[in-house]
Amino acid sequence: MPFLKNQLHLTATDMGIMSALFAFAQFVASPLIGRLSDKIGRKSVLTAGLFLFMASEVLFALTNKLMVFNISRVIGGLSAAMVVPTAMALAADITTKRQRARVIGWLSAAFSGGLILGPGIGGILAGVSYKTPFWAAGALGLISAIVLISLLPSDAETSKIRDAEATTVAAAKPSAHPMTKEFWTVPIIILFTMILVSSFGLQGFESIYSIYVNEVFHFSLSNIALVLTLNGLISLFLQVAMFDTLVSKWGERRVIRACFFLAAICVVWITQAHGKIAVMIATLVVFSAFDLLRPAITTLLTKASESNQGLINGLNMSLTSVGNIVGPIMSGMLLDMNPHYPYLVVSVFLIVSYLMAFLLKRPDQLQSATEK
């Protein structure tokens, strides 16, 4: 990003708009595409999304015009809206409720693994040319689309699995239509609020973390790199090896409450710490709590309504996008006032969410509410 900015004489505002366009397109498109995938099938939407991703990356690699860069990012946001929530919805379709926590944990770990490996690989490829990472990403999009077309079950097969599971679980009771007030029960609203808060909290925490620990605790680049690397490894372990076990033993509600509580306590701890080791430990606890929060909330949401997985996951992604836009902007503004303000505000939101989590019902009660 800095090289692109300097090479093409772009402003920081240009770069900010470019990033915001991706999140905005994802925010607008996610619930619409989620509903579309409920109607026409997951595989079709996933395939189109991967081809759009390839087109976005290739377009970015081909141009040096700001307007075309922005168009590329809009296409990229649209592709993300088609791929990420649809993948989660497909996972919910082809698994039983017992399997779902493990599968969504693996999916979350796959996303985390990409976020860990992607920047490093991109940095290496940028040594060849600053456009090389985009060509490589476009090639990966094409390969993914081919693999998906070849190996995933057809929409018809997926629908049969989904209908059979929905019939078994719901005992032939139809789910409430998502545009009716029966669907928007208090627990559903609470879960969506938690999605917004968790994404807002994570971005509010993460977006200024490097600046904060450098200014307040004098972290070096190697200190920051160590924390982020350890977080990546712990994140993969928790989501792959521990998430299903924790949900099976405690249930989603207890996991959500524990994660919000630990995150709030450790965010406050960071503002009061006096040494690097204490800050590093608290940071890893906060990141780990968020890594478990998102799949736990997503798993609980997928159990709320068997027939609206696309819409639910689309709304999930849209609210995540809102948090991704608002969180960094708010934290940056507060950081200019006082270094500790962003984390104190984030901790307040986390504490409120912890208290809201006590209003959640069990998955079977949650689904019953949406079926009345």
Side-chain angles (χ1 to χ4, degrees):
M1 294 285 282
F3 185 86
L4 186 68
K5 174 180 176 292
N6 295 332
Q7 183 79 4
L8 302 178
H9 307 292
L10 302 175
T11 66
T13 301
D14 293 332
M15 304 304 288
I17 291 173
M18 197 186 301
S19 298
L21 284 171
F22 180 96
F24 181 74
Q26 191 176 25
F27 162 68
V28 172
S30 289
L32 302 176
I33 292 174
R35 194 64 180 148
L36 180 65
S37 76
D38 286 333
K39 293 182 177 180
I40 69 173
R42 317 292 187 210
K43 187 173 182 178
S44 301
V45 174
L46 275 171
T47 304
L50 287 171
F51 278 118
L52 277 178
F53 170 76
M54 178 192 69
S56 168
E57 299 300 312
V58 170
L59 185 61
F60 205 101
L62 285 173
T63 189
N64 283 325
K65 302 290 185 182
L66 179 60
M67 180 61 71
V68 184
F69 282 148
N70 288 338
I71 293 172
S72 167
R73 299 320 291 146
V74 170
I75 297 172
L78 180 61
S79 72
M82 298 176 79
V83 171
V84 179
T86 308
M88 289 291 187
L90 180 59
D93 287 345
I94 61 177
T95 57
T96 63
K97 286 190 175 182
R98 185 166 187 156
Q99 300 169 329
R100 197 167 297 164
R102 182 174 70 247
V103 173
I104 289 179
W106 273 85
L107 269 179
S108 297
F111 288 126
S112 297
L115 292 173
I116 294 164
L117 296 174
I121 295 173
I124 294 171
L125 293 174
V128 179
S129 162
Y130 74 90
K131 289 298 186 77
T132 303
F134 302 102
W135 287 113
L140 286 174
L142 177 61
I143 293 170
S144 297
I146 293 171
V147 170
L148 184 146
I149 292 170
S150 304
L151 299 182
L152 256 67
S154 67
D155 288 330
E157 292 171 319
T158 303
S159 295
K160 289 180 181 178
I161 298 172
R162 181 176 68 220
D163 293 343
E165 174 65 10
T167 300
T168 302
V169 174
K173 294 180 182 178
S175 296
H177 191 277
M179 292 300 109
T180 62
K181 64 180 181 180
E182 287 79 9
F183 178 83
W184 294 100
T185 60
V186 171
I188 287 285
I189 294 172
I190 290 173
L191 284 169
F192 279 128
T193 302
M194 288 179 176
I195 288 287
L196 178 61
V197 171
S198 62
S199 61
F200 164 81
L202 177 59
Q203 288 301 313
F205 178 84
E206 186 178 16
S207 62
I208 62 163
Y209 179 76
S210 298
I211 300 172
Y212 176 81
V213 294
N214 177 258
E215 290 184 358
V216 178
F217 299 102
H218 308 294
F219 272 39
S220 65
L221 289 177
S222 59
N223 295 146
I224 297 170
L226 175 62
V227 172
L228 297 181
T229 301
L230 288 173
N231 168 64
L233 296 173
I234 293 171
S235 171
L236 287 175
F237 172 74
L238 287 175
Q239 292 176 338
V240 172
M242 293 298 297
F243 178 68
D244 185 47
T245 302
L246 290 172
V247 168
S248 298
K249 186 175 181 179
W250 289 357
E252 293 91 348
R253 295 182 304 159
R254 288 184 181 177
V255 171
I256 290 169
R257 289 200 295 262
C259 288
F260 273 124
F261 179 77
L262 287 173
I265 294 298
C266 289
V267 169
V268 175
W269 179 12
I270 290 173
T271 66
Q272 304 302 312
H274 297 289
K276 290 184 178 180
I277 299 299
V279 173
M280 288 182 177
I281 293 172
T283 299
L284 292 174
V285 174
V286 172
F287 278 130
S288 298
F290 280 120
D291 288 334
L292 292 174
L293 255 178
R294 288 175 294 182
I297 297 172
T298 300
T299 302
L300 201 54
L301 270 173
T302 63
K303 294 178 179 179
S305 176
E306 293 294 333
S307 62
N308 296 303
Q309 295 297 323
L311 177 69
I312 285 173
N313 283 281
L315 288 170
N316 183 339
M317 183 56 59
S318 282
L319 292 172
T320 300
S321 298
V322 172
N324 291 346
I325 296 169
V326 176
I329 295 172
M330 182 216 69
S331 289
M333 294 173 64
L334 291 173
L335 186 67
D336 289 333
M337 301 178 193
N338 183 293
H340 298 305
Y341 282 178
Y343 286 178
L344 293 176
V345 171
V346 166
S347 66
V348 170
F349 277 93
L350 293 175
I351 291 170
V352 171
S353 297
Y354 166 70
L355 296 175
M356 289 174 61
F358 284 92
L359 300 176
L360 288 174
K361 298 180 180 180
R362 293 196 310 270
D364 56 333
Q365 295 174 323
L366 193 65
Q367 185 173 0
S368 297
T370 63
E371 290 170 354
K372 290 179 179 178

